[in-house]
Amino acid sequence: MAPEPEDGRPAYRVKITQHINLVDLPAYRPRGIAVVEYRPDKPWDVRIVTRPAPEWSRRAEEAEIDSAPDSTLVSNPDVDEGSWCLLVLLAFLAGAVLVALLFRGPLFTAANDEDTPPDSPSKSSSTSRTFTTSTTVSGPSSSLLAFGRMRATAMELESRVDTAYVTEVTIEDHRMAVSGDSTRPPTETFHLQSLPYELLPTLVREARTTLGIRTPETWRIDITPPTGNGVGPRVRITVTGPEGTAHLDADATGRVVDRRGVGEGG
């Protein structure tokens, strides 16, 4: 990785090892850009910030950073090659133990299920879980259209349900709700932090002003998994007013793919 320091120092390359929660893996793509912290006096001491502030999340999404050359690699001078090899070995062993612990529960559950009667409720509760939760924002300037408010609220809901994979998200002016079902295959779910929250307020404004509703009264965003050969979740923005109801559809990158003005149906 090649962090870009804020103190004017040129970008440099560093190798680090850091444990990442399995549910966060989709957020770290190969050659992607992530927010990191580092010590200016020890540039090799770098840590990925897994929950950056909205401003840093936006900067990471918009950044275009070239990889630093191999010659700029920095490392801790106090750690010799032999110690480094030992650290790598210990990290590998720790990773193997972690994987064993992660799969131990499901393996033992599967073994015990063979002896469990078909109608036993314990088997059902151990293999499936559905959830629905929501939160309402209040106070002055509390609209979810405020910059950074949607992503922060999504992070709050993620911590409540203890998973980032959901089957539906609903967003209104002052309310956000998520739903999920662990029995759904991965293709029928999506990652909460993969959504283009920073682009959604612009899409709402576009839907309120370009679909033939002169006096929009309410709006709602419904986000669902892809269908057919679609890639990424589907975003639908519905606007209502005296003239009727209209909606605008967008893809996971915030690109508009369909419009249905008042009286057009669909």
Side-chain angles (χ1 to χ4, degrees), residues 131-202:
F131 58 85
T132 298
T133 188
S134 64
T135 186
T136 301
V137 297
S138 59
S141 303
S142 61
S143 172
L144 282 167
L145 294 178
F147 180 79
R149 184 64 60 85
M150 287 188 188
R151 188 171 296 278
T153 306
M155 293 172 62
E156 176 188 342
L157 294 178
E158 177 183 336
S159 66
R160 288 189 188 181
V161 299
D162 198 28
T163 180
Y165 290 93
V166 298
T167 56
E168 184 178 4
V169 175
T170 302
I171 305 173
E172 298 172 301
D173 197 21
H174 298 282
R175 179 178 178 273
M176 179 182 291
V178 299
S179 301
D181 184 350
S182 63
T183 62
R184 295 281 191 92
T187 55
E188 295 182 9
T189 65
F190 55 91
H191 195 282
L192 264 177
Q193 298 305 319
S194 69
L195 301 176
Y197 296 107
E198 290 72 22
L199 302 178
L200 296 183
T202 301

Side-chain angles (χ1 to χ4, degrees), residues 176-244:
M176 179 182 291
V178 299
S179 301
D181 184 350
S182 63
T183 62
R184 295 281 191 92
T187 55
E188 295 182 9
T189 65
F190 55 91
H191 195 282
L192 264 177
Q193 298 305 319
S194 69
L195 301 176
Y197 296 107
E198 290 72 22
L199 302 178
L200 296 183
T202 301
L203 292 176
V204 171
R205 286 191 289 270
E206 183 173 348
R208 297 177 68 184
T209 57
T210 65
L211 299 179
I213 298 181
R214 296 189 183 90
T215 310
E217 296 175 345
T218 62
W219 60 267
R220 188 182 74 246
I221 303 174
D222 294 294
I223 306 174
T224 54
T227 58
N229 297 324
V231 177
R234 300 180 302 160
V235 179
R236 167 162 290 190
I237 300 173
T238 304
V239 181
T240 60
E243 298 82 3

Side-chain angles (χ1 to χ4, degrees), residues 9 22 49 65 108 115 134 140 153 163 165-166 191 222 247 249:
R9 174 176 178 169
L22 291 178
V49 180
I65 302 175
F108 282 176
D115 300 326
S134 64
T153 306
T163 180
Y165 290 93
V166 298
H191 195 282
D222 294 294
H247 70 258
D249 293 336

